[in-house]
Amino acid sequence: MAVKAMHHVGITVTDLAAAVAFFEELGLELEGKMHMEGSFVDGVIGLDGSRSQIAMLRTPDDRYRIEFSEFQAPQSIDGSSHAPIHALGLRHIAFVVDDLDDTLARLRPHGAELVRNVETYQDILRTCYVRGPEGILVELSEFFS
């Protein structure tokens, strides 16, 4: 077996504090923040002279992590963060929540915008997409017991 586990997903943002605040409000836990630069980082990511701040957040069950990076150098380029769901590339992150209405209410002050509707699928779940900071598309689902 080649893969032992998934460690994290990385997302580049222009406002690290806003991204961290949004995902902490969603329920992720901050593992830590650090400054990144130097030949090691440049060699790994392929950008000479890079400088960034990163924050690593994890889910409460400690299974998944998201690394947010804010680059001071080189300047970030637009990666079409507001592209619709059918655009090629990584499009959304999905989370199971215990109370969808409460979660939406807590995320709205952090810039969450409902993409369209909260929908119910049979007697299984309620779900929706929201756009968070930087246009990050987040799927939220509440499963019925």
Side-chain angles (χ1 to χ4, degrees), residues 44-64:
V44 171
I45 66 173
L47 292 173
D48 293 333
S50 70
R51 289 189 328 276
S52 63
Q53 295 291 329
I54 67 166
M56 187 71 77
L57 289 96
R58 69 173 179 266
T59 57
D61 64 3
D62 201 33
R63 292 183 61 194
Y64 305 103

Side-chain angles (χ1 to χ4, degrees), residues 11-132:
I11 300 175
T12 301
V13 297
T14 59
D15 188 340
L16 186 63
V20 168
F22 179 91
F23 283 91
E24 282 183 319
E25 187 63 44
L26 184 56
L28 275 69
E29 300 167 1
L30 181 65
E31 279 191 349
K33 293 181 183 180
M34 68 184 305
H35 178 79
M36 301 291 291
E37 70 176 297
S39 61
F40 170 77
V41 176
D42 291 354
V44 171
I45 66 173
L47 292 173
D48 293 333
S50 70
R51 289 189 328 276
S52 63
Q53 295 291 329
I54 67 166
M56 187 71 77
L57 289 96
R58 69 173 179 266
T59 57
D61 64 3
D62 201 33
R63 292 183 61 194
Y64 305 103
R65 287 169 176 69
I66 303 175
E67 176 189 274
F68 292 98
S69 301
E70 179 183 323
F71 281 82
Q72 288 79 48
Q75 182 177 1
S76 296
I77 59 172
D78 185 6
S80 298
S81 60
H82 288 82
I85 191 67
H86 69 292
L88 297 176
L90 180 64
R91 284 294 118 214
H92 75 284
I93 306 169
F95 296 98
V96 175
V97 299
D98 56 1
D99 183 332
L100 184 56
D101 294 325
D102 176 66
T103 301
L104 290 170
R106 288 184 298 104
L107 292 178
R108 282 190 179 104
H110 294 275
E113 297 177 7
L114 195 59
V115 169
R116 185 168 288 170
N117 300 322
V118 174
E119 297 287 349
T120 301
Y121 180 72
Q122 298 179 358
D123 291 329
I124 299 171
L125 64 87
R126 291 178 67 225
T127 190
C128 65
Y129 280 9
V130 298
R131 287 220 183 255

